Amino acid sequence: MNPVAPKQNECTERAHDIQPFHVMALLAEARRLQEAGRDIIHLAVGEPDFPTPEPMVEAAVKALRAGQTGYTPALGMTALREKIAAYYQQRFGVTIPAGRILVTPGASGALLLLAASRIEVGQTLMLADPGYPCNRQFARVFEGRGQLIPSGPETAFQLTPQMVREHWNANTRAALVASPANPTGTVLSPQQLVDLAAAVREQQGELWVDEIYQGLNFTGEAHTVLSVVDDAAVINSFSKYFGMTGWRLGWTVVPECWVERMDVLAQNLFLAPPTPAQHAAMVAFEPDTLAILEQRREILRARRQWLLKALPELGFGIPVEPDGAFYIYADASRFTDNSLEFCRRCLQEAGVAITPGVDFGVFEANTHIRIAYSAELPRLQEAVDRLAAWLPK
């Protein structure tokens, strides 16, 4: 008997398990409203509102005009890997061999390589809930699972060594933490990272650290887990601090013994990172570029300070003030127990786009929202005025 052929319109079970970003439907509605003439204030999208710094744009244009448009090595241009290694040395005092640095198509490419190379079928990736949702989806694509651990304000929405020891099981392969974190903006101190690494090591597991928002720090100096833990895997990106979201360029730093197989996977999964983006990134660490980036960080700091005062006056709770990134994770329980519906109404009735907590996990997700301060201060002030008029007194 011939096996039953799958229906042509049937996707795999794993495809059905991948959850959408609810905010994408809100953004589509925002575009529709704008096309109909409404003025919408966008505080939902996770990207800075600044363009890529001009020195980086010029470097890419120069490379394009010189015909440098072919493939690079799968793990990125050697010169760029060396530039990133020099940045770790100059900014953090950490010596990282360039051979341990893998340049990828965005931080998503780094997560893709890590999930493909480190997670077996049925294994889990331990994550704080709330957290960036795509992390668990990468595990699912490779027949693993995200292992969400409820994490509240008492731990700054972060995993702790106690949580690792309590929840680790035979299927757990790695723990992934983010510092600064999305959606909460909280930061793990070097000592907290040391303690987490020790707890994970006790379980014979791996610690992965998302440092995508590194540099966007407001209450202390930026730091890296690699200054205190040599065997952690780091995920980083040129998107946030460096302002290159659409260029799709990131990197990962991994133990040397992982590199060979990850190189093979990169060759097969995406061949090479985008060449023009790599040429732009070659000047990302130059003094002129860093001066621009630091000016922008100060602008974000001022926006953060203003919102931290304004939002509680509207009735939102801020259980933990963000130390980095460009988000405030606010408690909206005074107004709703359905964050998705709250955000829909906020868009339609107040013209302000924000992100529902349900995009970031399960734990208390229906009573929290994320506000991105990725708009100029006058627009933030106007958004607060609109919310003040819209919210119930």
Side-chain angles (χ1 to χ4, degrees):
M1 179 179 293
N2 293 328
V4 177
K7 295 178 181 177
Q8 288 188 344
N9 62 349
E10 260 186 18
C11 289
T12 62
E13 181 182 346
R14 79 176 70 87
H16 285 290
D17 279 351
I18 304 300
Q19 299 299 308
F21 278 118
H22 295 288
V23 74
M24 298 310 293
L26 292 173
L27 293 175
E29 175 67 6
R31 285 192 294 271
R32 188 191 68 78
L33 291 171
Q34 285 179 306
E35 290 168 359
R38 288 281 302 279
D39 176 44
I40 304 299
I41 301 176
H42 289 276
L43 307 180
V45 179
E47 66 177 335
D49 57 315
F50 309 112
T52 302
E54 189 61 25
M56 300 166 78
V57 173
E58 283 301 312
V61 170
K62 183 178 178 181
L64 289 169
R65 287 179 174 154
Q68 295 173 317
T69 57
Y71 297 129
T72 71
L75 299 184
M77 299 189 309
T78 300
L80 179 56
R81 297 166 77 186
E82 291 172 346
K83 286 272 189 181
I84 297 170
Y87 178 69
Y88 276 104
Q89 181 64 57
Q90 293 160 6
R91 181 154 193 180
F92 306 112
V94 180
T95 300
I96 304 294
R100 288 179 53 193
I101 299 168
L102 287 54
V103 181
T104 57
S108 296
L111 282 160
L112 184 69
L113 289 182
L114 284 166
S117 62
R118 308 308 299 170
I119 295 178
E120 299 282 7
V121 174
Q123 291 185 328
T124 61
L125 177 63
M126 185 180 289
L127 303 157
D129 177 3
Y132 181 59
C134 291
N135 293 335
R136 66 181 184 271
Q137 314 296 11
F138 278 108
R140 180 65 189 99
V141 165
F142 292 99
E143 299 299 334
R145 295 280 179 180
Q147 183 182 352
L148 300 183
I149 309 300
S151 307
E154 65 281 356
T155 67
F157 304 106
Q158 295 277 5
L159 294 181
T160 66
Q162 180 181 349
M163 291 175 183
V164 168
R165 295 184 178 104
E166 180 180 348
H167 295 285
W168 202 279
N169 60 51
N171 291 325
T172 312
R173 178 62 184 264
L176 171 57
V177 296
S179 179
N182 177 13
T184 63
T186 61
V187 172
L188 290 162
S189 71
Q191 187 58 54
Q192 287 174 312
L193 290 164
V194 167
D195 295 341
L196 272 169
V200 170
R201 210 175 287 119
E202 287 172 16
Q203 312 301 323
Q204 298 183 316
E206 300 169 4
L207 178 65
W208 303 357
V209 183
D210 166 353
E211 296 184 347
I212 292 169
Y213 292 89
Q214 182 187 70
L216 295 175
N217 297 68
F218 306 115
T219 61
E221 292 297 318
H223 56 270
T224 175
V225 65
L226 296 172
S227 65
V228 291
V229 178
D230 188 58
D231 60 349
V234 165
I235 303 116
N236 212 321
S237 174
F238 286 97
S239 288
K240 310 300 183 178
Y241 177 65
F242 296 98
M244 291 181 68
T245 50
W247 298 75
R248 307 313 303 132
L249 198 68
W251 75 86
T252 181
V253 184
V254 298
E256 187 176 356
C257 59
W258 298 8
V259 173
E260 182 180 354
R261 295 315 303 171
M262 292 178 82
D263 189 358
V264 172
L265 284 167
Q267 296 165 22
N268 282 273
L269 292 174
F270 45 75
L271 194 62
T275 300
Q278 291 187 71
H279 284 284
M282 284 291 292
V283 299
F285 310 113
E286 296 299 318
D288 289 352
T289 308
L290 292 174
I292 294 169
L293 299 175
E294 284 301 295
Q295 289 172 357
R296 294 174 174 184
R297 182 171 68 92
E298 290 304 314
I299 292 170
L300 290 172
R301 185 201 299 273
R303 295 175 185 176
R304 167 188 175 274
Q305 286 302 111
W306 190 85
L307 279 176
L308 285 176
K309 182 176 183 295
L311 291 176
E313 292 175 354
L314 292 176
F316 292 104
I318 302 177
V320 181
E321 290 191 0
D323 299 306
F326 39 82
Y327 309 118
I328 293 177
Y329 195 59
D331 182 346
S333 58
R334 177 178 172 183
F335 307 113
T336 188
D337 60 2
N338 184 335
S339 62
L340 180 57
E341 181 60 23
F342 179 83
C343 291
R344 283 176 179 150
R345 290 188 55 213
C346 185
L347 172 63
Q348 293 167 352
E349 299 171 18
V352 178
I354 54 180
T355 308
V358 291
D359 261 350
F360 304 105
V362 178
F363 182 61
E364 298 186 348
N366 267 310
T367 57
H368 285 74
I369 59 167
R370 188 192 75 178
I371 296 175
Y373 40 98
S374 51
E376 294 182 348
L377 190 56
R379 292 292 274 173
L380 293 179
Q381 293 167 337
E382 184 177 354
V384 166
D385 288 343
R386 292 186 189 184
L387 291 171
W390 174 69
L391 291 166
K393 300 295 187 286

